[in-house]
Amino acid sequence: MMELAIPKGTYHKFSSQPQAVVDENIQVLDGKNLSYGDFFENYMFRNRPCLIKNVSNNWEATSKWVVNGRPNIEYLNYKYKDTNAIIYNCSERYFNSQKCIESTLGEYVKLWKQVEQEGIYYLKDWHLKLQCPEDTFYEVPIYFASDWLNEYFIHCTDDDYRFVYVGQKGSWTPLHIDVFNSFSWSVNICGQKQWIFFPPGEESQLKDNLNNIFYDIKNAPEIQNSLELIQNDGEAVFVPSGWYHQVWNLEDTISINHNWVNGCNISTMWDSLKTSLKIIENEIKDCRDMDNFDEQCQTILKVHFGIDYNKFYKFLTFIGQRRIDMLNNKLERKMFYGHGISSDHIIFDLVQICAVIQDFLNCDYANGKFVEGQSFVVAIKKSIENIV
């Protein structure tokens, strides 16, 4: 395994997030000669999308899940027939998403084989790695290995944000940004996808007369400042935080996808969490005089956003303590996916965590509730000072 390393002694260079870089076209890179440091500085930290070729050549899925360039449905059905999955009907809208059912891979295969279908079906959010943790059908590319979200969720919960998607030709995903305003990455095992991206700040042109984000960008009257690309097999697409995007499967396609958060976008996640809470508080402001108003808002926030302030704090302190222990050699300096991590990268992580925790402790909700937080901030700073 390789090491996640940023330029030595320059972690302070990345202390504040620069404005997102927007190119005229999506940059195409080659995984054979792209270093983690280059990706970190020029794409992940700058919140800049890209496509990376040659990232899955040695994956088991690349050989076993594909036959004659198409999904090997028979093999998948034999291997994973009874695993749980969510099946979306791309032909039937449900609010601003698509109608879906909780089912199994086996039931999806039956739909796939139907000669006359009532819709176009897409298997999304299939938590295959969570259900079959011993299976080694893929490896997380080093560029995406600084993954706090799955590091926390897999250690501390029974959930994760690692997915397999299996889509028929013509299946698609509506216009959206990713959960938690996170990064995401998607690697095509086989097939071809068309992507359209909109950089942060373009939301106004993506809304209808009711101020709702368009379900299908094809219904928008006039679109500007968009970026498009075609993704083929063996290629990874990096989706930055806050970039709305829509995806179509141009062929029968299988992809592996993760949502992820780290030091480069943790402040973006925190800003999104704060904004979501403000919206909720405003929507139920008539109930402000009720008992436990703040806790009711947190309950709604957890449903709407996926986490509340309490879980966000646990997430931050869990990752922060692990990085402190790594820096103090109490924990092996190895990331969740097996790659090593340099001291400068650990310090970068801790600097970002410290900044967000300090802001968190200053918010109204945190007042008096997280008394140990200041001591944790002191512990982070002390650990950094001992190294620098």
Side-chain angles (χ1 to χ4, degrees):
M1 289 291 182
M2 301 173 66
E3 182 181 66
L4 279 66
I6 59 177
K8 187 172 180 58
T10 62
Y11 56 85
H12 58 277
K13 176 181 177 182
F14 308 112
S15 59
S16 60
Q17 194 77 28
Q19 185 175 356
V21 173
V22 181
D23 300 296
E24 291 186 2
N25 298 292
I26 303 290
Q27 298 293 301
V28 178
L29 312 171
D30 192 336
K32 291 182 178 179
N33 52 37
L34 175 67
S35 71
Y36 175 81
D38 286 344
F39 174 76
F40 177 97
E41 181 171 0
N42 295 311
Y43 296 92
M44 188 159 60
F45 183 70
R46 297 181 185 278
N47 212 42
R48 180 186 186 186
C50 65
L51 182 144
I52 309 175
K53 295 177 175 290
N54 295 309
V55 296
S56 61
N57 296 341
N58 299 320
W59 291 4
E60 180 180 303
T62 301
S63 59
K64 294 186 176 180
W65 293 12
V66 183
V67 57
N68 297 324
R70 299 185 67 250
N72 190 344
I73 292 298
E74 296 298 340
Y75 174 82
L76 291 174
N77 193 44
Y78 166 77
K79 183 89 173 171
Y80 304 115
K81 178 180 179 180
D82 296 324
T83 57
N84 298 322
I86 302 177
I87 302 172
Y88 289 77
N89 186 342
C90 299
S91 305
E92 193 167 347
R93 181 173 178 174
Y94 182 75
F95 292 97
N96 223 37
S97 184
Q98 295 160 337
K99 187 174 182 180
C100 66
I101 58 170
E102 295 185 7
S103 188
T104 63
L105 186 278
E107 290 302 312
Y108 178 69
V109 171
K110 290 180 182 177
L111 291 171
W112 181 289
K113 292 181 176 181
Q114 286 181 1
V115 177
E116 296 184 5
Q117 297 179 349
E118 296 180 356
I120 299 175
Y121 296 97
Y122 199 175
L123 191 82
K124 304 183 195 178
D125 301 337
W126 183 18
H127 293 258
L128 181 58
K129 186 63 175 177
L130 187 67
Q131 296 180 72
C132 304
E134 301 304 317
D135 280 17
T136 55
F137 51 89
Y138 76 110
E139 296 177 359
V140 174
I142 189 171
Y143 317 110
F144 316 132
S146 179
D147 179 352
W148 299 0
L149 200 60
N150 285 298
E151 184 177 352
Y152 169 76
F153 271 85
I154 295 166
H155 274 101
C156 301
T157 76
D158 58 357
D159 199 4
D160 72 344
Y161 287 87
R162 304 172 297 174
F163 310 110
V164 176
Y165 281 31
V166 184
Q168 297 174 304
K169 179 180 179 180
S171 56
W172 60 290
T173 300
L175 184 66
H176 69 287
I177 54 174
D178 290 310
V179 62
F180 306 137
N181 216 340
S182 64
F183 294 143
S184 66
W185 61 264
S186 177
V187 173
N188 270 10
I189 301 302
C190 65
Q192 188 179 71
K193 293 183 179 181
Q194 178 185 4
W195 296 70
I196 184 168
F197 292 89
F198 299 91
E202 296 296 329
E203 290 81 7
S204 60
Q205 70 163 325
L206 306 179
K207 295 180 179 180
D208 60 21
N209 294 333
L210 298 177
N211 208 37
N212 296 316
I213 294 294
F214 284 111
Y215 170 69
D216 185 351
I217 200 61
K218 293 179 179 178
N219 296 329
E222 184 176 354
I223 293 298
Q224 298 177 347
N225 300 325
S226 64
L227 300 176
E228 297 187 41
L229 67 82
I230 301 296
Q231 178 191 19
N232 296 296
D233 56 277
E235 299 177 344
V237 172
F238 167 61
V239 183
S241 293
W243 285 65
Y244 275 90
H245 53 284
Q246 188 168 331
V247 189
W248 297 266
N249 289 319
L250 304 181
E251 301 172 354
D252 294 341
T253 303
I254 302 177
S255 65
I256 294 176
N257 315 280
H258 282 204
N259 292 109
W260 51 308
V261 173
N262 59 33
C264 291
N265 66 339
I266 187 62
S267 61
T268 302
M269 180 181 178
W270 169 228
D271 287 343
S272 296
L273 188 61
K274 288 188 289 185
T275 299
S276 294
L277 179 61
K278 288 179 181 178
I279 292 171
I280 291 167
E281 289 174 337
N282 185 61
E283 288 180 346
I284 63 171
K285 61 184 177 182
D286 293 343
C287 303
R288 187 171 291 277
D289 293 335
M290 69 182 288
D291 293 337
N292 298 321
F293 175 78
D294 288 344
E295 296 304 328
Q296 290 297 324
C297 289
Q298 291 296 319
T299 299
I300 298 171
L301 180 65
K302 189 172 183 178
V303 173
H304 170 72
F305 194 80
I307 61 171
D308 57 13
Y309 274 38
N310 297 290
K311 193 165 186 177
F312 181 70
Y313 178 76
K314 290 179 182 178
F315 164 56
L316 283 178
T317 53
F318 173 81
I319 298 298
Q321 188 60 58
R322 286 176 62 85
R323 296 301 179 271
I324 289 173
D325 290 344
M326 288 179 183
L327 207 57
N328 294 332
N329 295 315
K330 295 181 179 179
L331 184 67
E332 186 178 7
R333 295 187 182 184
K334 184 176 289 187
M335 299 300 291
F336 177 67
Y337 299 115
H339 297 287
I341 182 170
S342 70
S343 295
D344 289 271
H345 202 307
I346 295 172
I347 294 172
F348 167 79
D349 288 357
L350 287 171
V351 168
Q352 307 308 314
I353 291 170
C354 188
V356 173
I357 288 182
Q358 286 180 308
D359 194 58
F360 176 90
L361 295 174
N362 288 329
C363 74
D364 292 339
Y365 179 78
N367 186 25
K369 292 185 176 70
F370 303 91
V371 293
E372 76 286 353
Q374 290 297 343
S375 298
F376 190 70
V377 168
V378 171
I380 290 176
K381 292 181 177 179
K382 184 176 180 180
S383 296
I384 295 173
E385 290 171 357
N386 290 338
I387 298 297
V388 177

